[in-house]
């Protein structure tokens, strides 16, 4: 099926984009080590890095069989022992900086079990010991009604650890972005840990697939501007800033409404904070009366507390900074699917409510 997509010029989904990223890096001489719970298949059945003979049970890994002179590709299904596995992979990334070392949590929340490794080693190794690591953490993250333990990779915790360009925190919305981010990770002449809020529902979302040319051209974009060229920046009253899969929900609702007074901008990289790209965004949409940060997470979680400080110092004096998202909570998410759907719907509806329609209060989700 993947070869048919390439031949027909169809759009490339996340699993195929990842395979292209790995394959091209291997052919360029970069080794890859991949570990985590059920990573060979992928928790959401999107990867299929290993296939098995139906009759003999023999394992075949395509990425190990690209060419005679390719770099080595290793992939291991690991135990539910996050501290041990992540600690080992961190050490591996120090010992072999020419290998792309990736650890994937089955759900992003599972990284909680390795918090001591993150705090004492990954986030601070360069400051404490002048040791660089290019370790990549893939943490499936997104509010889809799966409850408190399968929704949040605790983005806020990683952003709290950010300082002096110690790590990278990203949330890609397209496979092409993921492709270029993996290449950036290895082509730089230095190493920084990469924390990636990886998708769940976007793995097969038709809008989240990328055309082939997006892989062949360009580079990773820290910020992605409004893609609807019919929207005049001078006529935009509200500028929405968001990250991750919420973008597609906002986009669908905005396009259904048909308004041209609202622009949606995606932050693909949260840290290091993309200062210059956002300066250009705010100059472009200087007529907007409101700049709104929209997120799925509760107010005391997610990126808002981190973003509020930066955004308030960048927007113009005539603009008002707003927050739309869930109300502060001790739990990452509700355990009731109907409540989740109500909250998600209200986030989207409040985001599309233009300044003249609002009641003059800060929007919060009950």
């Amino acid at each position: 099926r993947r070869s048919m997509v390439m031949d027909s010029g169809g759009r490339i989904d996340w699993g195929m984009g990842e395979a292209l990223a790995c394959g091209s890096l291997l052919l360029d001489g970069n080794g890859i080590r991949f570990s985590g719970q059920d990573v060979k298949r992928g928790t959401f059945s999107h990867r299929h890095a290993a296939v098995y003979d139906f009759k003999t049970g023999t394992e075949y890994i395509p990425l190990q069989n690209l060419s005679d002179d390719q770099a080595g590709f290793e992939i291991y299904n690991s135990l539910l022992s996050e501290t041990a596995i992540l600690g080992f992979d961190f050490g591996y990334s120090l010992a072999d900086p020419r290998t792309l070392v990736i650890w994937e949590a089955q759900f992003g929340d599972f990284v909680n079990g390795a918090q001591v490794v993150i705090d004492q080693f990954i986030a601070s190794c360069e400051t404490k010991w002048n040791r660089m690591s290019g370790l990549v953490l893939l943490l499936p993250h997104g509010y889809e009604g799966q409850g408190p333990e399968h929704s949040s990779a605790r983005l806020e915790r990683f952003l709290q650890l950010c300082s002096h360009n110690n790590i990278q925190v990203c949330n890609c919305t397209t496979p092409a972005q993921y492709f270029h981010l993996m290449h950036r990770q290895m082509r730089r002449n230095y190493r920084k840990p990469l924390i990636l809020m990886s998708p769940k529902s976007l793995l097969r979302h038709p809008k989240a697939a990328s055309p082939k040319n997006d892989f062949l051209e360009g580079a990773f974009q820290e910020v992605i501007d409004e893609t609807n060229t019919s929207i005049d920046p001078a006529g935009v009253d509200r500028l929405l800033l968001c990250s991750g899969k919420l973008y597609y929900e906002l986009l669908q609702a905005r396009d259904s409404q048909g308004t041209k007074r609202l622009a949606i901008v995606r932050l693909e990289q949260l840290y290091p904070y993309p200062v210059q790209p956002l300066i250009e965004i705010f100059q472009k949409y200087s007529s907007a009366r409101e700049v709104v940060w929209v997120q799925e997470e509760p107010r005391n979680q997610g990126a808002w507390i981190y973003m509020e400080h930066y955004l308030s110092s960048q927007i113009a004096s005539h603009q008002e900074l707003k927050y739309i998202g869930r109300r502060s909570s001790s739990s990452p998410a509700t355990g009731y699917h109907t409540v989740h759907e109500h909250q998600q719907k209200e986030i989207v509806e409040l985001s599309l409510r233009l300044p003249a329609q609002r009641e003059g209060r800060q929007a919060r989700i009950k």
Side-chain angles (χ1 to χ4, degrees):
R1 187 186 68 85
R2 288 179 173 176
S3 62
M4 291 173 60
V5 170
M6 294 298 290
D7 293 339
S8 65
R11 297 175 72 85
I12 296 170
D13 65 11
W14 192 274
M16 185 175 176
E18 181 182 80
L20 290 172
C22 291
S24 54
L25 286 170
L26 292 169
L27 292 175
D28 283 345
N30 302 284
I32 297 176
R33 173 189 166 81
F34 217 127
S35 70
Q37 298 105 12
D38 206 13
V39 292
K40 289 185 179 181
R41 181 197 67 173
T43 297
F44 310 102
S45 301
H46 68 286
R47 182 169 292 122
H48 295 293
V51 293
Y52 298 86
D53 186 285
F54 182 79
K55 294 181 179 180
T56 66
T58 302
E59 181 184 69
Y60 178 77
I61 299 177
L63 287 169
Q64 291 179 347
N65 297 275
L66 300 176
S67 73
D68 293 335
D69 59 351
Q70 70 169 83
F73 178 79
E74 300 175 339
I75 186 163
Y76 303 102
N77 289 335
S78 61
L79 302 172
L80 280 166
S81 180
E82 289 81 9
T83 298
I85 305 303
L86 189 56
F88 181 88
D89 283 343
F90 169 74
Y92 198 107
S93 71
L94 295 180
D96 189 358
R98 290 184 175 85
T99 292
L100 177 63
V101 182
I102 304 173
W103 178 78
E104 181 177 65
Q106 195 159 38
F107 283 86
D109 318 72
F110 291 15
V111 79
N112 279 345
Q115 196 65 47
V116 65
V117 178
I118 297 164
D119 291 345
Q120 298 191 14
F121 295 94
I122 295 174
S124 57
C125 64
E126 189 173 350
T127 299
K128 293 194 288 190
W129 306 302
N130 199 29
R131 295 298 306 274
M132 290 186 176
S133 168
L135 179 64
V136 177
L137 273 62
L138 298 184
L139 307 179
H141 175 85
Y143 283 60
E144 288 148 2
Q146 294 179 299
E149 312 311 331
H150 286 337
S151 295
S152 175
R154 296 290 191 172
L155 171 63
E156 64 280 354
R157 294 181 181 174
F158 291 101
L159 293 175
Q160 187 182 39
L161 292 169
C162 293
S163 181
H164 295 92
N165 296 323
N166 60 332
I167 60 176
Q168 308 160 86
V169 181
C170 299
N171 193 348
C172 298
T173 54
T174 72
Q177 280 282 89
Y178 180 38
F179 175 92
H180 291 301
L181 184 60
M182 291 298 102
H183 275 263
R184 186 182 79 169
Q185 186 72 1
M186 293 306 294
R187 288 179 175 173
R188 284 173 164 174
N189 59 1
Y190 59 89
R191 296 289 179 258
K192 297 284 182 180
L194 169 61
I195 315 301
L196 183 59
M197 301 289 113
S198 58
K200 293 178 285 185
S201 63
L202 294 191
L203 295 173
R204 296 176 179 85
H205 196 298
K207 290 282 189 181
S210 300
K212 185 166 65 174
N213 282 344
D214 285 1
F215 293 85
L216 299 174
E217 302 170 356
F220 176 70
Q221 300 178 70
E222 297 176 353
V223 176
I224 299 180
D225 193 4
E226 170 63 58
T227 58
N228 188 338
T229 56
S230 68
I231 292 179
D232 180 8
V236 169
D237 289 326
R238 170 179 277 191
L239 175 62
L240 297 184
L241 303 176
C242 65
S243 183
K245 67 102 174 169
L246 181 60
Y247 164 74
Y248 292 99
E249 297 174 58
L250 296 172
L251 179 66
Q252 181 180 1
R254 195 273 309 275
D255 291 349
S256 297
Q257 190 182 88
T259 180
K260 299 294 180 67
R261 297 169 55 200
L262 188 147
I264 308 174
V265 172
R266 286 169 275 175
L267 269 71
E268 303 281 288
Q269 177 174 294
L270 295 164
Y271 189 85
Y273 181 79
V275 177
Q276 188 57 41
L278 283 175
I279 287 176
E280 296 170 6
I281 289 291
F282 292 136
Q283 289 175 344
K284 180 177 180 179
Y285 298 100
S286 59
S287 63
R289 288 181 282 165
E290 293 183 346
V291 176
V292 184
W293 177 258
V294 189
Q295 67 178 36
E296 301 180 297
E297 301 89 347
R299 184 188 180 100
N300 60 323
Q301 299 172 38
W304 166 243
I305 294 176
Y306 162 84
M307 292 299 300
E308 182 182 17
H309 166 73
Y310 284 105
L311 294 176
S312 61
S313 65
Q314 276 199 295
I315 62 174
S317 58
H318 69 275
Q319 294 175 320
E320 186 177 5
L321 179 62
K322 298 288 185 179
Y323 162 84
I324 293 177
R326 285 172 168 83
R327 179 173 292 194
S328 294
S329 171
S330 59
S331 172
T334 178
Y336 297 95
H337 196 271
T338 53
V339 174
H340 159 78
E341 289 182 332
H342 169 76
Q343 292 176 339
Q344 203 75 5
K345 181 180 178 182
E346 194 169 1
I347 289 172
V348 174
E349 289 178 348
L350 288 171
S351 299
L352 268 60
R353 192 175 297 174
L354 294 166
Q357 299 170 285
R358 302 183 78 248
E359 295 86 1
R361 61 177 178 82
Q362 190 168 17
R364 296 180 183 175
I365 302 302
K366 298 178 181 178

